[in-house]
Amino acid sequence: MKFSYVNPTQIHFGQGQIAAIATSIPQDQKVLVIYGGGSIKTNGVYDQVVAALSEHSWIEFSGVEPNPTVETLDKAVAIAKAEKIDYILAVGGGSVIDGSKYVAAAAKYVGNGWDILIGKHAVTEAIALGAILTLPATGSESNAGAVITQKATQTKLPFHSAAVQPKFAVLDPDSMKTLPERQLINGLVDAWVHTCEQYLTMPTGAMVQDGYAETLLRNLLTLASQYDNRDNNEWRSNLMWTANQALNGLIGTGVPHDWATHMIGHELTALYHVDHARSLSIIQPSLLRNQIEAKRAKLEQLGKNVFGLEASDDLAERTIVEIETFYHNLNSPTELTEHGDDKLSAIDSIIKQLEAHGMVALGENQAITLEVSRQILEDAVK
Ligand code: NZQ
Ligand code: ZN
């Protein structure tokens, strides 16, 4: 283990905490409030933002879509530049927060913002950013990552920079009350896979990271089992905090990471508009079976410590079945069906995109070549 760790995002957690933005954003800052398709106007979040910013000078930009596109976000970049914005307040789910990170960075750059995604511009400077989270899933509210889509080329790419990490994040579980079931389930699944991507690799003896990852996985399992009784503050609070902790950097310190499920999943979203979390439940079981020998020890550890399974020669295999059952119980798919009826050409398209995006050696051992991705897809595409 060797690492430097800081998470500088101040968390305001709990009911009524949106009011905290009044003091978290300095009063002399000109604010751009960014949000999505308008869900915040149906659950009182927008009204609370307006009340909290009553002493600030602010304008707004709406219409950031799920899987935010650079085509839409560049309009906000132009506004941020023209209006000399000092502070961006992202209000929404992962898409709005990721999109706002892009706007914050691109507004400080003279070139084409897409350069950030293709690695042509390394972000070292950005407009200050704060977030109000309305959909627990991605962890974007307190991490330095963002995933942006270029609609024209069906390209979905991530970027990371400490400069875009939110200064603060408000996590008020009440804002989840209007979440459609599908999005709530997406949150459970995304947080599950985030934990797996940083845990299901190889044994490292990192007791803190492993132990905390297992706690988060057990939480998600428990919350899924209590799904029918989810309409209460305790359930919502536990999901919101668990999803945040799954991708705020802590469990990933000093240990190997995988992220292959995410990288292949991003192509399913870019090509077939599959929800992010659903792309993960489609790919992960097939990927785990494909990589079972490399991951056997950690799968066994997960089976024992999270699912409570007894030891056996096929413990790793049974653990994958349990993960699949977890997805099925939540009605999250484990096979791609959105590809039309030509399986072979769908797989070809996905492989072509992976190649174009340099995703040719994925996973903790860089063992997932295009040929291996093709095998994984063979089992995951119906
Ligand atoms: O646009 P609005 O009207 O807000 O509606 C959204 C959207 O339609 C709706 N919603 C959000 N909060 C709501 C609500 N509806 C009712 N009540 C509420 N309280 O939910 C829909 C989906 O929102 P979205 O933000 O797209 O979902 P999510 O949070 O799952 O974000 C997914 C995006 O995050 C990226 C994904 O790739 C995807 O683009 N990720 C970002 C990561 C990061 N920055 O660290 C890591 C993740 O692995 C992920 O890749
Ligand atoms: Zn994810």
Side-chain angles (χ1 to χ4, degrees), residues 88-318:
I88 291 175
L89 178 64
V91 189
S95 293
V96 166
I97 302 172
D98 283 7
S100 299
K101 288 175 177 176
Y102 169 85
V103 175
K108 293 277 185 184
Y109 176 56
V110 286
N112 180 353
W114 189 247
D115 289 350
I116 296 168
L117 282 304
I118 58 174
K120 209 173 135 189
H121 169 61
V123 175
T124 53
E125 225 199 326
I127 295 175
L129 177 70
I132 297 176
L133 181 68
T134 64
L135 195 178
T138 63
S140 184
E141 67 277 9
S142 67
N143 69 37
V147 193
I148 307 296
T149 296
Q150 189 175 57
K151 204 171 163 183
T153 57
Q154 294 180 304
T155 301
K156 186 174 189 193
L157 293 173
F159 82 96
H160 293 86
S161 168
V164 299
Q165 170 125 7
K167 308 274 179 240
F168 68 84
V170 177
L171 279 66
D172 178 349
D174 275 356
S175 68
M176 296 165 60
K177 285 182 178 170
T178 47
L179 272 172
E181 283 214 19
R182 184 181 176 112
Q183 299 304 339
L184 211 47
I185 288 169
N186 283 348
L188 278 161
V189 170
D190 197 20
W192 175 274
V193 180
H194 292 159
T195 311
C196 291
E197 299 276 30
Q198 302 161 87
Y199 167 89
L200 260 185
T201 57
M202 59 193 81
T204 58
M207 293 168 73
V208 169
Q209 294 88 326
D210 276 8
Y212 198 29
E214 287 162 5
T215 295
L216 298 175
L217 292 171
R218 279 193 302 271
N219 288 356
L220 294 165
L221 212 52
T222 302
L223 293 168
S225 74
Q226 297 171 346
Y227 192 74
D228 289 344
N229 301 316
R230 65 193 173 280
D231 188 14
N232 63 77
N233 185 49
E234 184 176 315
W235 192 94
R236 283 189 285 266
S237 299
N238 278 314
L239 177 57
M240 205 167 215
W241 191 225
T242 300
N244 173 274
Q245 297 292 297
L247 198 51
N248 74 343
L250 180 63
I251 61 168
T253 52
V255 298
H257 288 207
D258 183 341
W259 297 108
T261 296
H262 268 75
M263 294 309 131
I264 302 173
H266 287 167
E267 305 299 355
L268 306 190
T269 301
L271 286 172
Y272 303 107
H273 311 290
V274 181
D275 289 4
H276 171 65
R278 293 164 75 93
S279 79
L280 307 176
S281 63
I282 289 168
I283 296 297
Q284 196 205 28
S286 168
L287 186 141
L288 293 177
R289 289 203 171 92
N290 182 280
Q291 294 294 302
I292 195 162
E293 292 318 327
K295 291 181 183 290
R296 185 171 290 279
K298 273 322 243 321
L299 279 164
E300 289 177 350
Q301 188 179 329
L302 189 151
K304 178 169 164 271
N305 294 346
V306 176
F307 289 108
L309 300 177
E310 297 293 328
S312 71
D313 289 346
D314 63 351
L315 178 54
E317 284 81 355
R318 287 190 292 134

Side-chain angles (χ1 to χ4, degrees), residues 34-106:
I34 298 184
Y35 59 98
S39 69
I40 64 165
K41 294 210 167 157
T42 66
N43 55 15
V45 170
Y46 182 81
D47 294 338
Q48 291 177 67
V49 169
V50 172
L53 291 182
S54 62
E55 304 291 315
H56 286 76
S57 154
W58 65 279
I59 56 173
E60 65 179 54
F61 179 85
S62 64
V64 176
E65 58 278 80
N67 307 302
T69 67
V70 72
E71 285 87 347
T72 297
L73 298 169
D74 278 338
K75 295 178 193 156
V77 173
I79 293 171
K81 284 179 172 173
E83 297 287 332
K84 301 197 172 22
I85 292 298
D86 306 300
Y87 216 106
I88 291 175
L89 178 64
V91 189
S95 293
V96 166
I97 302 172
D98 283 7
S100 299
K101 288 175 177 176
Y102 169 85
V103 175

